[in-house]
Amino acid sequence: MHILVTNDDGPPSVQSSPYIRPFVKQLQDAGHTVSVCLPNTQRSWIGKAHMIGQTLRPTYYTPSATVHGEEAQGTTHSRPQALSSAEEDEEWVLVDGTPASCVQIGLYHFFQDRGPIELVVSGPNYGRNTTSVFALSSGTLGAALEAAVCKKRSIALSFAFFSRNHDRDIIDAACRHSVKVIEALARQWPSDGSADLYSVNVPLVEGVADREHKTLWADMLQNYWQEGNSCFEEIEDSADDPTEEEARIRAEEASSGDLDAVSDKNNSSNKAGNGGGDMGTSKTRFKHKHFKWAPRLTDVYHSVDLAGPSMDGRIVRDGHTCVTPMKANFAVSRTVRAGTEFQLKEEEEGRGRRENSAEKENLQVQAIIAYEDPYVQPLIISALKAVFPQDELVQLVTSTLMPGSSSDSFSIASLLESSERSTSGRTLQIMPYECIDFEFAASHAKSCLINSYMFRKALIRKHFLSATVDHWVAKKPDTPLKRHVKRSEAFEVDYAEFLDDALVEAFDLRESMERNAAAAAINGHDKSQREWWILKPGMSDRGQGIRLFSTMEELQAIFDGWEAAAPCSEEDSDVDDDDDGDGGGREAQSGGDKDGDYITTSHLRHFVAQPYIHPPLLLSSDQRKFHIRTYVLCAGSLSVYVYRHMLALFAAKPYTAPWDGPEDTESFLTNTCLQDSPNETSVRRFWDLPLPSEQLESIFDHICVVTGEIFEAAAVAMPLHFQTLPNAFEVFGLDFMVDEQRQTWLLEVNAFPDFRQTGLDLEDIVEGFWRGVMRKGVATFFKLPVGEQEQEENGDKDMVAVRNIDLGRR
């Protein structure tokens, strides 16, 4: 590639620009044609400025053959030099202007003889450029923005250092790593215009390209200067060198632990300098002063400490490289107003907004409801109309997907255009996971709301859920999850013959089986003296593949039976189990006919085994086992609500102890999907159960605590597998069991729960939940008013807030 390099630190200098020479050398060594146009002096904190009314005069710089140190600074001439062909390639242009001006001059007034410039790289900056406080003022980002508005691909590169010891090997390694990142970005540059430039921050740490130091996509942390703290210090008249000032600021940045002391010292220095002595007895409005740039960087670092793990400042602080995609514009708080007239007079605002029909369409929420479930679909639409009765606020665009649509072919943009609706307005998508237009949502983050996060395996896959709980318990030993979730043994089995090898690290399970073997030696065939376990395929649902066992022989027989009933060929087992939806995997019979108990071939790999909860809480009037189905809403990044009106789902037959019928699934499985049809005896309202009211309240309180904790655990401890989105919400179905001692246990978390098991008699519970979703998930995002009747009837009493944490994703 032909790459134009600029910066805001100027030509090579140990004090202010130590990285430019080794970086250019690494680009050249990688085979790129490199043209260099830099400010002739340090120009930090200047943004994308141009010096209008000033004649810019370039000088010509020949860098030293030496890469590092004072001797690497080279020579400067007022006119281009007669150089050999090899030396000509090394001649740089220095401009007495800003970094943005260097981009313009480099693109259009020099280097044309070397072919079209394919990429502009600004940097490496002397210090990090993470968070909005730095980025908005950075000359490094200003140059990259200038290139972007010239329709050139551009990258702002910054080196974050943590000490003043600039080790040459570390700098060289950072330069090599930066070249690889730049090349990778150039190869995968989006063709849809979703990014104009990238801000890349590389930490100067040993082994920056090693496995423990990752390169991560990042959001830019929105932070602010603390109110009341000026970035300027009053001083006596002086003529400070900007290069020295930048070096001083970066020195404070490197020793961020002492920033409070540094800033306090700055703020306590002479603030009464008047630069001109006593003005006598004459009275003036102002006292003459001089000021020095002295930002209080503790504000920045405090915001980074509070930031979520996906934020740029946090990533770099933790020693990783971050890549932040950017658009060459300013973000706006309400993009639907774009293109409409700004009303100067307050009394005209309401009338003017309604007079513009195009604006009215933009203000409408275009609701695309295509849930593909004849039970749920009308309930969602009913809830939508109940919460937002005004037609001018919410417009139902369609209730079905386009024919033949799939996750690869469905396009919200095409659907809106076919219905002659604008794609620039506000859009609500509620549809199956596989059909959600995530690309459209990503490019319309402020105006499009979708009904699912993209990554949530940390909760909805049983083996991932087990890891989530283990990580969180290790991080927070006093967490409620330790008392309300049975610890699982997660393992993988490809073939039954390898079961024993798969359980090598399942220490709790092995010890339990050994105790059972010892009990069998004493008690013979009395299985009631054994510890019983429940086996669950990690990716199954609807109760498929669940088995009970108490010995290694019984567990081995389960796997042998599956393998005999459904031999899994190499072709059949090649199933993508990375899909975060609930589909995936071709179906193969395993231990029953297709209308009975079967699991897909992709399920025959990941498993969890848990201590079986016995005895469960049984009602005196009904000896069937039951579990509690709780509907949960997660909104944005991240608010979690529990719907108060829960369900109790009962097994088909009275409960029997596991040793009396380990294969009698109808007595110990409470999933009503296994029953012919849910009815009033198999699905009941939780609050109508014949239990003391204080006991019901206690169970509900425990469910709220555990629900909030498990979602925070997933978001914080497993961020790669549970990634919230600010413009998304998702509904989950959580299953809880209560044992005879009144202890509440979380069983599993389901995405896109099967609402049909509620049955027709209790469909008001489902509609009521979706009304809560509309109020808390949809109205909050779009800032829509809720219908007066809905507000009076429901308010907030049904949706109980159990967790509200700021993950910094905006």
Side-chain angles (χ1 to χ4, degrees):
M1 286 187 294
H2 183 188
I3 301 175
L4 174 65
V5 173
T6 189
N7 70 5
D8 71 352
D9 294 323
S13 164
V14 174
Q15 289 75 28
S16 61
S17 187
Y19 313 136
I20 184 67
R21 184 70 180 100
F23 174 66
V24 169
K25 178 70 164 53
Q26 290 295 339
L27 283 175
Q28 292 169 333
D29 290 347
H32 300 292
T33 300
V34 184
S35 299
V36 183
C37 185
L38 312 174
N40 66 348
T41 188
Q42 194 273 336
R43 293 286 189 187
S44 293
W45 298 88
I46 204 168
K48 202 184 79 67
H50 293 289
M51 296 179 178
I52 62 172
Q54 174 180 321
T55 300
L56 302 185
R57 296 176 174 83
T59 53
Y60 306 90
Y61 177 86
T62 304
S64 167
T66 305
V67 174
H68 292 281
E70 293 283 354
E71 67 276 17
Q73 295 186 19
T75 57
T76 304
H77 307 277
S78 60
R79 291 286 187 273
Q81 298 297 294
L83 304 171
S84 68
S85 58
E87 292 174 326
E88 284 177 357
D89 290 341
E90 286 292 332
E91 192 169 33
W92 299 359
V93 176
L94 306 183
V95 179
D96 57 346
T98 66
S101 298
C102 291
V103 170
Q104 286 274 351
I105 292 171
L107 284 176
Y108 301 120
H109 301 282
F110 291 99
F111 316 120
Q112 284 80 9
D113 59 319
R114 310 183 76 183
I117 291 173
E118 301 165 84
L119 180 70
V120 176
V121 177
S122 178
N125 186 63
Y126 183 59
R128 71 200 69 190
N129 272 311
T130 55
T131 80
S132 61
V133 163
F134 279 139
L136 287 171
S137 300
S138 167
T140 303
L141 267 75
L145 282 167
E146 186 68 31
V149 297
C150 293
K151 296 185 178 180
K152 291 291 184 181
R153 298 184 300 175
S154 62
I155 296 170
L157 175 64
S158 305
F159 283 178
F161 55 82
F162 301 90
S163 74
R164 297 286 289 170
N165 179 22
H166 289 89
D167 184 276
R168 295 184 178 183
D169 292 338
I170 291 178
I171 292 174
D172 287 340
C175 289
R176 288 192 298 272
H177 179 57
S178 299
V179 171
K180 291 180 180 179
V181 172
I182 289 168
E183 291 173 335
L185 286 173
R187 287 193 301 269
Q188 56 186 275
W189 206 276
S191 59
D192 60 358
S194 57
D196 294 328
L197 68 154
Y198 293 90
S199 176
V200 177
N201 282 267
V202 179
L204 289 183
V205 294
E206 189 172 356
V208 68
D210 293 347
R211 177 169 297 184
E212 62 267 22
H213 297 290
K214 302 176 182 178
T215 300
L216 303 173
W217 291 105
D219 289 330
M220 183 175 292
L221 174 63
Q222 176 67 65
N223 58 353
Y224 306 88
W225 295 118
Q226 185 175 343
E227 186 176 359
N229 285 330
S230 172
C231 290
F232 286 88
E233 170 192 348
E234 298 175 22
I235 61 167
E236 296 287 353
D237 189 12
S238 64
D240 292 320
D241 183 348
T243 298
E244 294 179 359
E245 284 305 296
E246 172 67 2
R248 180 186 64 80
I249 292 170
R250 292 302 184 180
E252 294 178 16
E253 178 184 335
S255 56
S256 58
D258 297 327
L259 284 176
D260 281 317
V262 173
S263 296
D264 290 343
K265 180 179 179 181
N266 289 339
N267 291 334
S268 63
S269 61
N270 181 14
K271 297 184 179 181
N274 54 30
D278 193 350
M279 297 296 295
T281 59
S282 61
K283 206 172 178 185
T284 61
R285 181 180 179 186
F286 298 111
K287 190 173 184 179
H288 188 57
K289 304 174 182 179
H290 293 90
F291 301 92
K292 176 181 180 181
W293 176 244
R296 184 180 173 88
L297 298 180
T298 45
D299 298 345
V300 178
Y301 284 95
H302 181 62
S303 67
V304 170
D305 289 338
L306 299 177
S310 66
M311 295 291 104
D312 56 356
R314 173 75 172 273
I315 290 173
V316 171
R317 188 202 70 177
D318 294 342
H320 307 301
T321 297
C322 72
V323 180
T324 305
M326 301 174 64
K327 291 289 291 180
N329 57 29
F330 287 99
V332 293
S333 61
R334 196 177 182 189
T335 56
V336 295
R337 292 184 177 179
T340 62
E341 185 179 359
F342 175 69
Q343 302 296 327
L344 293 176
K345 295 182 180 180
E346 184 177 356
E347 62 269 18
E348 295 177 357
E349 183 176 352
R351 184 175 71 253
R353 184 173 299 167
R354 291 293 173 253
E355 288 174 348
N356 190 322
S357 61
E359 181 184 1
K360 178 180 177 181
E361 181 176 319
N362 274 344
L363 287 175
Q364 282 182 334
V365 175
Q366 300 163 92
I368 303 170
I369 314 298
Y371 206 74
E372 287 195 337
D373 186 326
Y375 176 87
V376 183
Q377 175 88 359
L379 299 179
I380 296 176
I381 295 175
S382 176
L384 182 78
K385 293 180 177 179
V387 177
F388 310 117
Q390 306 95 329
D391 291 339
E392 67 268 21
L393 291 181
V394 179
Q395 176 68 38
L396 191 64
V397 175
T398 182
S399 61
T400 58
L401 294 176
M402 292 185 297
S405 62
S406 68
S407 58
D408 296 326
S409 64
F410 184 69
S411 167
I412 291 294
S414 299
L415 177 62
L416 294 176
E417 289 170 359
S418 67
S419 61
E420 298 183 351
R421 305 290 298 183
S422 170
T423 60
S424 63
R426 299 186 289 178
T427 307
L428 169 65
Q429 299 183 47
I430 299 182
M431 55 187 60
Y433 177 92
E434 295 81 5
C435 295
I436 295 173
D437 193 339
F438 285 103
E439 184 176 353
F440 183 90
S443 60
H444 297 75
K446 299 296 185 181
S447 60
C448 178
L449 179 66
I450 56 178
N451 66 302
S452 177
Y453 300 130
M454 185 176 292
F455 300 104
R456 59 267 208 280
K457 288 182 183 176
L459 292 172
I460 66 175
R461 301 303 188 208
K462 297 179 183 66
H463 48 299
F464 278 92
L465 178 62
S466 172
T468 298
V469 174
D470 286 346
H471 287 351
W472 196 243
V473 170
K475 186 181 181 71
K476 296 179 63 176
D478 295 331
T479 175
L481 299 186
K482 189 172 184 178
R483 303 184 299 276
H484 293 278
V485 182
K486 289 287 187 181
R487 187 184 182 280
S488 301
E489 294 283 13
F491 56 94
E492 297 182 24
V493 179
D494 290 318
Y495 298 98
E497 61 184 296
F498 300 134
L499 175 62
D500 194 58
D501 294 334
L503 297 176
V504 169
E505 297 184 1
F507 302 112
D508 291 351
L509 175 59
R510 283 187 168 276
E511 289 178 1
S512 176
M513 297 299 99
E514 291 173 0
R515 289 192 295 270
N516 284 347
I522 298 173
N523 302 306
H525 296 290
D526 185 0
K527 297 182 179 181
S528 65
Q529 302 302 312
R530 301 178 187 176
E531 299 171 359
W532 283 82
W533 289 69
I534 187 167
L535 176 71
K536 303 176 183 179
M539 297 173 63
S540 70
D541 54 12
R542 299 173 180 266
Q544 299 167 24
I546 294 179
R547 299 288 187 271
L548 301 182
F549 68 95
S550 62
T551 66
M552 290 297 296
E553 291 75 17
E554 292 171 352
L555 182 60
Q556 184 68 59
I558 292 170
F559 282 92
D560 290 341
W562 278 335
E563 195 159 274
C568 186
S569 68
E570 182 178 351
E571 179 182 357
D572 287 338
S573 64
D574 186 17
V575 178
D576 180 11
D577 63 357
D578 287 332
D579 177 18
D580 234 26
D582 279 289
R586 56 180 65 85
E587 293 173 350
Q589 290 180 325
S590 299
D593 59 34
K594 189 172 179 60
D595 295 327
D597 178 28
Y598 65 92
I599 58 177
T600 66
T601 54
S602 64
H603 299 162
L604 292 173
R605 183 178 306 153
H606 304 282
F607 295 86
V608 294
Q610 288 178 313
Y612 183 68
I613 300 172
H614 173 80
L617 175 65
L618 301 176
L619 303 178
S620 58
S621 57
D622 192 337
Q623 293 297 296
R624 291 180 299 166
K625 181 180 176 181
F626 68 91
H627 80 264
I628 301 166
R629 164 53 62 93
T630 305
Y631 294 127
V632 174
L633 165 68
C634 287
S637 298
L638 173 71
S639 298
V640 183
Y641 301 90
V642 168
Y643 186 52
R644 183 172 177 84
H645 301 289
M646 303 184 299
L647 301 172
L649 280 67
F650 287 77
K653 295 169 55 177
Y655 179 72
T656 58
W659 50 85
D660 290 332
E663 297 180 355
D664 186 6
T665 57
E666 290 187 319
S667 68
F668 71 82
L669 285 185
T670 55
N671 195 317
T672 57
C673 296
L674 302 176
Q675 301 173 24
D676 292 336
S677 61
N679 53 58
E680 59 182 9
T681 65
S682 58
V683 182
R684 305 185 193 178
R685 299 177 190 268
F686 168 78
W687 296 101
D688 289 346
L689 294 179
L691 295 170
S693 59
E694 61 272 13
Q695 185 174 333
L696 294 175
E697 288 288 354
S698 176
I699 293 171
F700 180 71
D701 289 343
H702 287 159
I703 287 175
C704 289
V705 169
V706 174
T707 299
E709 192 79 358
I710 193 64
F711 278 94
E712 181 175 358
V716 176
M718 299 284 279
L720 291 180
H721 301 296
F722 187 78
Q723 298 182 17
T724 61
L725 297 171
N727 62 323
F729 69 88
E730 184 156 7
V731 301
F732 294 89
L734 273 64
D735 292 335
F736 291 87
M737 178 74 69
V738 182
D739 65 21
E740 193 175 59
Q741 304 302 317
R742 285 21 178 202
Q743 177 78 347
T744 305
W745 300 97
L746 172 64
L747 300 180
E748 64 183 29
V749 179
N750 301 279
F752 286 81
D754 183 6
F755 290 102
R756 285 174 297 178
Q757 63 186 328
T758 307
L760 295 176
D761 294 337
L762 300 180
E763 66 180 15
D764 62 297
I765 289 182
V766 178
E767 182 181 353
F769 172 64
W770 277 102
R771 286 190 180 193
V773 171
M774 296 301 167
R775 295 196 306 272
K776 295 300 184 182
V778 178
T780 301
F781 178 81
F782 289 117
K783 297 181 175 58
L784 290 174
V786 173
E788 293 182 4
Q789 183 177 356
E790 174 70 16
Q791 191 66 41
E792 291 174 359
E793 291 179 357
N794 294 293
D796 295 335
K797 64 179 182 293
D798 291 339
M799 303 296 287
V800 180
V802 297
R803 198 61 46 110
N804 188 3
I805 55 177
D806 185 359
L807 297 174
R809 298 166 190 167
R810 296 177 173 85

